[in-house]
Amino acid sequence: MTEFVHDGAPRAGGRPAGRHERPAAVLFDRDGTLIEDVPHNGDPRLVRVLPGVPEALRLLRDAGIPTAVVSNQSGVGRGLLTEQQVRLVNARVDDALGGFGTWVYCPHRPDAGCHCRKPKPGLVIEAARRLAVPAERCVVIGDIGADVLAAQAAGARAVLVPNAVTRAEEIAAACCTAPDVLTAVRGLLGPGPETVPVVAETWGWDR
């Protein structure tokens, strides 16, 4: 079993990243974090929200913390789907989860050399700009090491929520992990009647 863990590593600027320091915004990876990962999905009918995500978003909205989605969508650059299909899937996720402050995605191939594709920081920086908050006061929640590295490159914090394809070395390298998105959000919000961390015995989904 794994629970929300933070090792207190320094943030950009040298201040410790306290476990209960509330973020100015929370940025989510999409596939494998908010919804089941269907590789290069262009069909909104295949969207399946992962357990605990709606409750996690409700807690953030109740706390007045804005949210965004930052997502690599290289299927566009690979010719496997169109940007219109990505937008349709994003719209379905918005409908299912009540809407996010902004969506930012990278359509490029991994070898394109762009500045936006995670683990580069471009998506995180742009989402923070659109939400009008400093990038270093954001937290990125994702399921692979690229999400963590993109946050770190932007000066933000990150919580890794592993699943069946998260590599062991990515988990070992992450300073903050949680077994699911709801636990991650409860940990970020700090102690309280609705934010006591819970423990999940299994992750129960595949990418």
Side-chain angles (χ1 to χ4, degrees), residues 95-113:
D95 288 343
L97 293 175
F100 293 84
T102 190
W103 286 75
V104 192
Y105 66 90
C106 171
H108 305 117
R109 295 170 56 97
D111 58 359

Side-chain angles (χ1 to χ4, degrees), residues 7-155:
D7 70 359
R11 293 175 50 179
R15 284 194 299 126
R19 171 174 166 177
H20 298 313
E21 181 182 354
R22 290 195 173 194
V26 177
L27 318 180
F28 293 91
D29 173 57
R30 192 188 81 176
D31 303 316
T33 302
L34 295 173
I35 61 173
E36 292 180 2
D37 187 4
V38 178
H40 309 304
N41 179 32
D43 186 348
R45 294 172 297 180
L46 299 181
V47 168
R48 298 291 184 272
V49 173
L50 289 172
V53 170
E55 174 67 6
L57 291 170
R58 184 189 68 79
L59 289 176
L60 289 171
R61 292 177 185 126
D62 287 350
I65 296 175
T67 58
V69 180
V70 289
S71 177
N72 287 346
Q73 294 296 325
S74 67
V76 176
R78 299 172 195 264
L80 301 175
L81 72 165
T82 66
E83 292 206 46
Q84 176 63 16
Q85 287 176 304
V86 172
R87 293 190 187 103
L88 287 172
V89 171
N90 291 348
R92 176 68 188 104
V93 178
D94 251 348
D95 288 343
L97 293 175
F100 293 84
T102 190
W103 286 75
V104 192
Y105 66 90
C106 171
H108 305 117
R109 295 170 56 97
D111 58 359
C114 69
H115 73 283
C116 50
R117 179 179 170 83
K118 295 176 290 184
K120 297 284 185 66
L123 294 179
V124 176
I125 292 170
E126 176 61 15
R129 185 192 69 79
R130 293 185 186 186
L131 295 175
V133 300
E136 62 269 20
R137 293 199 58 216
C138 294
V139 174
V140 177
I141 298 178
D143 65 321
I144 61 173
D147 300 311
V148 175
L149 293 173
Q152 292 173 343

